[in-house]
Amino acid sequence: MSGKEFDSVLRAVGGIDHLIDWDNKSQEITNMKYMDDKLAKEDKVFDDPKLMKTPIVRNGKYVTVGYCPEIWAQWE
């Protein structure tokens, strides 16, 4: 994902905390739970995409993060 796409996804989902896979048991995720600096979180997730919740599905300006078939069914 390019930097511009990443920023677009962040805006669409409401910020970095909605993009992070908090269920991931990695040490990086555990450490990020205590970080207040949103820019540092964004940099870390951009550099290590495995920290993102997947799938990230885009439909124009709409974006879902995680498995959301009920929302996808409503999209044209």
Side-chain angles (χ1 to χ4, degrees):
M1 179 181 309
S2 73
K4 193 172 182 179
E5 285 178 304
F6 183 78
D7 290 340
S8 175
V9 168
L10 283 179
R11 282 192 305 277
V13 300
I16 189 64
D17 289 330
H18 297 284
L19 186 58
I20 295 172
D21 182 6
W22 295 111
D23 294 329
N24 184 326
K25 301 298 183 199
S26 72
Q27 187 61 44
E28 292 92 351
I29 295 291
T30 301
N31 292 342
M32 288 192 336
K33 289 179 181 178
Y34 302 102
M35 292 174 67
D36 290 330
D37 187 349
K38 291 198 182 290
L39 289 178
K41 283 182 187 178
E42 290 174 8
D43 289 342
K44 188 160 193 67
V45 172
F46 182 75
D47 291 339
D48 191 357
K50 72 178 185 221
L51 301 175
M52 293 182 204
K53 190 184 300 183
T54 58
I56 298 171
V57 179
R58 292 176 291 161
N59 181 26
K61 65 181 179 175
Y62 302 107
V63 177
T64 60
V65 178
Y67 185 68
C68 305
E70 64 283 351
I71 294 172
W72 304 333
Q74 297 173 9
W75 288 351
E76 293 182 13

